[in-house]
């Protein structure tokens, strides 16, 4: 087995541990249930009581009526077959993970299905295959604790939001997607406060969910948190989701804050994320400012700072002598000597920022003029009449 395949299997094993049912991690033996409707599902039986099985799977907990179970099998052979399938596809591409996910789905191999869905969502957070499947499965599985509030009372929905966000804290992207799909069925006005809170203070999966839920609201309160995520979140999946949420309510003004951040952002990361957001936003008015920003990353336009390294020494320079009432008063005159250096520093390594700007230009124009500001400037002179400009 080659080094890449070994690494992929190691990463898969780590992911399976992350999404593994708690019972399986504690030593309970997984089992493959076959149901009366022909469906199979892999997991761990946590409890069997009064004709109902509480079945914890890699997709969440599922309640299964015992009368619907027609067979129980050891999933070991299925697991070995899955390892064989792993060797047949290109796992560096989304299509390979989609193929494996379909294979797992057809056989009820939930551990493999969870791993493949997570791999798909990490690469393409809005993948239609993954989301279509997750929305279909979301009502059947549950990661959150049981909501003990009466379902016919308003407080049930508020408690449900709390429980779902709590369950998302340490989830994989697949688990977070299942929870996000479950939140979709709850009233938006109840969710707004929690979404604002978790967009700033949540873990990566919680911020990802919150960025999406903020896009479901039409309240002005959603705007600042979404710009903060788009321009400052360390996770590109969260940033992309925040831009998508802003785009849902696009009225022609969404581009403004991103354009300002592109030129005046305090940090290089902010300017880079602004360029990324302009590409994701898809507003062709951004082409002109992006080319201008690319030109500014060259000589003469780089951000500059001064670094000062110095040393000060105080000494008595002289005495101010006064005679008063037959007494001599000598006041010392203190001065300082300073030596050191002052460095005028310009940002030279702007490769990441330049690549991100060029990638966004390619997204917006379909042209491939590389990373050169000179080439993009020439392209703009030839094509600017077909693109709207910012006044």
């Amino acid at each position: 087995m080659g080094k890449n395949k070994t690494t992929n299997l190691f990463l898969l094993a780590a992911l399976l541990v992350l999404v593994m049912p708690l019972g399986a991690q504690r030593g309970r033996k997984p089992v493959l249930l076959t149901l009366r409707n022909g469906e199979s599902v892999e997991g761990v039986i946590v409890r069997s009581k009064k004709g109902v099985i509480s079945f914890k799977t890699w997709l969440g907990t599922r309640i299964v009526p015992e009368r619907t179970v027609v067979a129980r099998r050891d999933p070991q052979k299925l697991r070995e077959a899955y390892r064989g399938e792993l060797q047949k596809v290109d796992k560096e591409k989304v299509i390979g993970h989609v193929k494996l996910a379909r294979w797992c789905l057809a056989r009820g191999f939930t551990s493999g299905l969870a791993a493949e869905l997570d791999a798909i969502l990490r690469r393409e957070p809005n993948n239609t295959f993954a989301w279509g499947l997750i929305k279909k499965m979301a009502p059947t599985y549950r990661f959150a604790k049981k909501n003990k509030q009466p379902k016919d009372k308003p407080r049930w929905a508020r408690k449900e939001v709390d429980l779902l966000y709590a369950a998302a804290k340490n989830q994989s992207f697949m688990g977070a997607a299942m929870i996000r799909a479950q939140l979709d069925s709850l009233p938006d006005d109840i969710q707004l406060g929690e979404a604002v809170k978790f967009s700033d203070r949540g873990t990566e999966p919680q911020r990802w969910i919150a960025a999406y839920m903020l896009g479901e609201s039409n309240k002005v309160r959603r705007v600042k948190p979404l710009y903060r995520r788009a321009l400052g979140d360390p996770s590109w999946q969260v940033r992309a989701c925040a831009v998508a949420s802003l785009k849902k309510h696009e009225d022609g003004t969404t581009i403004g804050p991103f354009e300002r951040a592109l030129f005046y952002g305090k940090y290089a990361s902010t300017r880079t994320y602004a360029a990324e957001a302009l590409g994701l936003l898809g507003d062709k008015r951004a082409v002109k400012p992006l080319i201008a920003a690319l030109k500014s990353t060259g000589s003469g336009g780089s951000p500059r700072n001064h670094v000062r390294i110095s040393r000060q020494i105080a000494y008595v320079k002289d005495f101010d002598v006064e005679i008063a009432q037959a007494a001599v008063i000598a006041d010392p005159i203190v001065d300082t000597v300073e030596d050191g250096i002052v460095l005028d520093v310009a940002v030279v390594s702007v490769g990441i920022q330049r690549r991100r700007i060029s990638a966004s230009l390619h997204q917006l124009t379909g042209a491939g003029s590389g990373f050169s500001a000179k080439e993009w400037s020439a392209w703009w002179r030839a094509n600017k009449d077909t693109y709207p400009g910012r006044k």
Side-chain angles (χ1 to χ4, degrees):
M1 182 180 295
K3 183 177 179 181
N4 289 339
K5 290 183 178 179
T6 303
T7 303
N8 286 332
L9 286 176
F10 175 78
L11 292 173
L12 175 64
L15 175 60
L16 290 181
V17 170
L18 178 64
V19 299
M20 184 181 295
L22 189 59
Q25 293 184 45
R26 289 178 177 173
R28 290 195 180 110
K29 192 175 181 181
V31 63
L32 187 68
L33 299 183
T34 301
L35 307 183
R36 196 183 303 278
N37 62 3
E39 180 186 4
S40 293
V41 58
E42 173 206 17
V44 174
I45 296 176
V46 178
R47 185 174 59 255
S48 183
K49 187 178 180 181
K50 296 181 180 179
V52 175
I53 296 173
S54 180
F55 199 53
K56 192 175 284 277
T57 79
W58 284 258
L59 301 171
T61 299
R62 179 172 177 174
I63 302 302
V64 181
E66 199 162 8
R67 69 179 184 278
T68 65
V69 178
V70 297
R72 304 185 187 196
R73 292 179 290 149
D74 187 336
Q76 181 59 33
K77 289 184 178 180
L78 187 57
R79 191 172 295 114
E80 291 171 358
Y82 174 62
R83 291 195 185 103
E85 293 298 317
L86 282 171
Q87 310 308 314
K88 299 177 183 178
V89 300
D90 184 354
K91 294 178 287 298
E92 298 303 317
K93 297 181 179 178
V94 169
I95 191 170
H97 291 286
V98 170
K99 184 176 180 179
L100 284 170
R102 293 183 189 278
W103 187 93
C104 295
L105 178 65
R107 292 159 179 80
F109 190 52
T110 60
S111 56
L113 179 58
E116 298 308 325
L117 287 174
D118 189 77
I120 293 168
L121 290 169
R122 286 182 181 277
R123 290 165 173 79
E124 290 184 7
N126 296 317
N127 182 272
T128 53
F129 166 78
W131 274 108
L133 186 55
I134 283 169
K135 289 177 181 178
K136 184 178 179 180
M137 296 188 302
T140 307
Y141 296 91
R142 185 172 178 86
F143 284 106
K145 294 180 180 179
K146 184 178 180 181
N147 189 343
K148 296 181 180 180
Q149 297 295 330
K151 197 164 185 177
D152 59 341
K153 303 293 183 181
R155 63 179 179 271
W156 178 89
R158 288 191 290 271
K159 183 64 175 178
E160 186 73 354
V161 172
D162 291 341
L163 290 171
L164 289 170
Y165 270 107
K169 183 176 181 180
N170 297 312
Q171 282 296 333
S172 63
F173 272 92
M174 182 281 304
M178 292 282 280
I179 290 169
R180 193 178 104 173
Q182 291 161 358
L183 281 165
D184 262 337
S185 64
L186 301 174
D188 295 336
D189 57 341
I190 292 177
Q191 300 193 55
L192 182 59
E194 291 297 287
V196 170
K197 180 177 75 174
F198 282 106
S199 69
D200 277 336
R201 290 177 279 172
T203 61
E204 183 183 27
Q206 288 173 330
R207 298 195 310 274
W208 187 56
I209 293 170
Y212 170 82
M213 299 315 304
L214 286 172
E216 296 300 288
S217 173
N218 59 3
K219 300 291 193 332
V220 175
R221 189 182 172 193
R222 79 186 188 279
V223 177
K224 285 186 178 180
L226 286 174
Y227 276 113
R228 283 198 296 268
R229 290 305 96 213
L231 291 171
D233 202 280
S235 166
W236 76 265
Q237 290 95 342
V238 176
R239 295 196 303 272
C241 188
V243 174
S245 289
L246 286 166
K247 195 173 178 179
K248 288 179 183 178
H249 303 276
E250 171 65 288
D251 60 357
T253 64
T254 308
I255 190 176
F258 290 131
E259 187 177 336
R260 288 191 292 273
L262 178 67
F263 290 101
Y264 307 113
K266 184 177 180 181
Y267 303 105
S269 61
T270 304
R271 297 190 293 274
T272 301
Y273 295 160
E276 175 188 67
L278 288 169
L280 293 171
L281 192 61
D283 190 330
K284 293 186 181 297
R285 291 178 298 167
V287 173
K288 183 178 179 180
L290 281 168
I291 292 175
L294 186 62
K295 290 170 66 176
S296 75
T297 62
S299 61
S302 299
R304 307 187 73 86
N305 288 287
H306 292 86
V307 177
R308 177 176 177 173
I309 304 172
S310 63
R311 179 180 62 173
Q312 284 188 341
I313 300 175
Y315 70 100
V316 177
K317 180 179 180 181
D318 200 352
F319 291 93
D320 187 6
V321 180
E322 293 184 8
I323 299 176
Q325 295 182 356
V328 177
I329 302 174
D331 288 332
I333 300 173
V334 179
D335 204 350
T336 60
V337 174
E338 183 174 355
D339 65 352
I341 58 174
V342 178
L343 300 177
D344 180 26
V345 181
V347 179
V348 176
S349 179
V350 291
I352 294 175
Q353 190 174 344
R354 188 178 290 118
R355 284 194 295 272
R356 184 59 262 180
I357 293 173
S358 298
S360 292
L361 283 168
H362 178 71
Q363 281 179 275
L364 293 171
T365 67
S369 295
F371 307 141
S372 168
K374 184 177 180 180
E375 290 179 15
W376 275 110
S377 295
W379 178 92
W380 177 250
R381 287 193 295 273
N383 296 274
K384 63 182 179 180
D385 291 341
T386 62
Y387 284 85
R390 297 283 286 157
K391 295 181 179 179

